[in-house]
Amino acid sequence: MAYSRTLLLGAALGFSLAMPVVAQDAPDVTADTVLATVNGDAITLGHVIAMREMLEDQQKALPAEVLFEGLLERLIQQRAVVAAVDEIGKGTELAIENERSALIANRKVMQLAEAITIDDTDLQAAYDAKYAEFEPIKEFNASHILVATEDDANAVIEELEGGADFAELAAEKSTGPSAGNGGSLGWFAPGTMVPAFEEVAMAMDVGAVSEPVETQFGWHVIKLNETRLPEAPALDDVRADLQQALWETRLREEVEALVNDAEIDRPDLSGIDPAVIGDTSLVED
């Protein structure tokens, strides 16, 4: 049977709500201040602080007195249960090694991340590299009236040829979600619409109305409103995206440098079936 890793924490927090901490005159404390002992094994303030750092932000937002009691109670429970274990099995030992490695590595990566600085010169260089050869892709602004049959579409075209307003007719006749907006689909680039619709719309002259166009959604009468060639975005408009991309690139390079500097020996693994990673009997406790 599988149990949630947060089960003990939840029980501990519930207990603390019933027994809140009563404020006392606080003594001088350090990370080594002992808060409890279990079979002679000390639980310190540092242990509680370290456990709090592993919580999600939502849990960290709980009142300090709730967390203090809850986390301390969880640590006491853990130590009491651990004391009942006669021998740590192979799988558990390996899991502990993996967790230790992950915690230390994550802390180092956080330090590397916090040390990264990106200034305006970096951003300008990234912007120039990305948009120096910017080639605008023609965009289209169209409206449509979607009906069930080709006959219905031809009837719509007759009304338009007779002087009916396209937007008003779309609001009245169209079965598509854009009907309430006069049939307007807004701006779109190539590859956005279904092929049959797009092929016709992109071949039209501005202001023209199409013949009936069939797609899987029904029959469309299309009006091309405008076309445009967009300019490259201003630096300020993409600053946040560029900064994020630069930050991620530099962090990845920092980690790759550490890996490249490490002495890594990779033996021939060709004789190992990758499916063996599912064989938990190899690490059973």
Side-chain angles (χ1 to χ4, degrees):
M1 182 180 295
Y3 293 92
S4 167
R5 292 184 178 182
T6 60
L7 179 60
L8 290 178
L9 176 59
L13 292 181
F15 176 82
S16 67
L17 286 171
M19 299 182 64
V21 173
V22 178
Q24 304 287 341
D25 293 334
D28 292 335
V29 295
T30 69
D32 295 327
T33 297
V34 175
L35 304 179
T37 58
V38 180
N39 297 325
D41 188 11
I43 299 172
T44 67
L45 177 60
H47 288 121
V48 175
I49 293 172
M51 179 172 280
R52 179 187 179 276
E53 286 303 297
M54 299 300 294
L55 298 178
E56 300 291 337
D57 289 342
Q58 184 177 4
Q59 293 174 311
K60 287 182 181 179
L62 289 169
E65 61 271 18
V66 172
L67 282 177
F68 184 94
E69 282 289 325
L71 295 176
L72 178 57
E73 184 66 18
R74 183 184 186 191
L75 285 167
I76 290 172
Q77 291 174 349
Q78 286 181 347
R79 299 296 176 90
V81 172
V82 167
V85 176
D86 296 327
E87 182 179 355
I88 299 177
K90 182 68 173 179
T92 301
E93 288 180 350
L94 294 172
I96 291 171
E97 290 180 15
N98 286 343
E99 286 295 322
R100 181 180 184 277
S101 178
L103 284 170
I104 296 173
N106 286 341
R107 180 62 59 88
K108 180 59 178 179
V109 170
M110 288 176 61
Q111 293 172 349
L112 293 173
E114 291 170 356
I116 294 173
T117 58
I118 299 171
D119 57 26
D120 288 342
T121 301
D122 297 325
L123 289 171
Q124 186 65 56
Y127 176 85
D128 292 342
K130 185 171 184 177
Y131 295 103
E133 298 181 3
F134 177 77
E135 295 183 4
I137 298 176
K138 191 175 184 179
E139 295 180 342
F140 302 81
N141 184 301
S143 299
H144 77 143
I145 299 173
L146 178 64
V147 291
T149 68
E150 184 176 12
D151 288 341
D152 292 337
N154 282 319
V156 165
I157 292 173
E158 288 183 11
E159 290 192 57
L160 291 171
E161 290 175 345
D165 180 78
F166 193 97
E168 292 179 359
L169 202 56
E172 177 186 350
K173 302 284 189 180
S174 183
T175 61
S178 65
N181 197 31
S184 176
L185 297 170
W187 289 99
F188 57 91
T192 306
M193 300 296 181
V194 293
F197 183 102
E198 191 171 276
E199 181 180 354
V200 172
M202 292 182 178
M204 294 171 60
D205 294 327
V206 172
V209 174
S210 73
E211 294 297 317
V213 177
E214 185 181 17
T215 71
Q216 64 265 43
F217 303 108
W219 289 84
H220 307 257
V221 177
I222 306 169
K223 179 181 179 182
L224 184 63
N225 302 317
E226 297 179 76
T227 63
R228 68 183 181 188
L229 288 173
E231 297 179 352
L235 173 57
D236 285 342
D237 293 337
V238 293
R239 180 180 298 273
D241 291 340
L242 290 174
Q243 190 164 18
Q244 179 68 20
L246 280 172
W247 181 84
E248 290 177 357
T249 297
R250 292 187 180 178
L251 181 58
R252 183 170 57 252
E253 290 172 348
E254 294 270 12
V255 173
E256 288 175 352
L258 293 177
V259 174
N260 291 335
D261 290 342
E263 295 183 8
I264 301 174
D265 180 25
R266 294 181 182 271
D268 182 10
L269 305 180
S270 58
I272 298 179
D273 181 358
V276 74
I277 65 173
D279 185 0
T280 57
S281 66
L282 297 176
V283 294
E284 284 181 352
D285 289 348

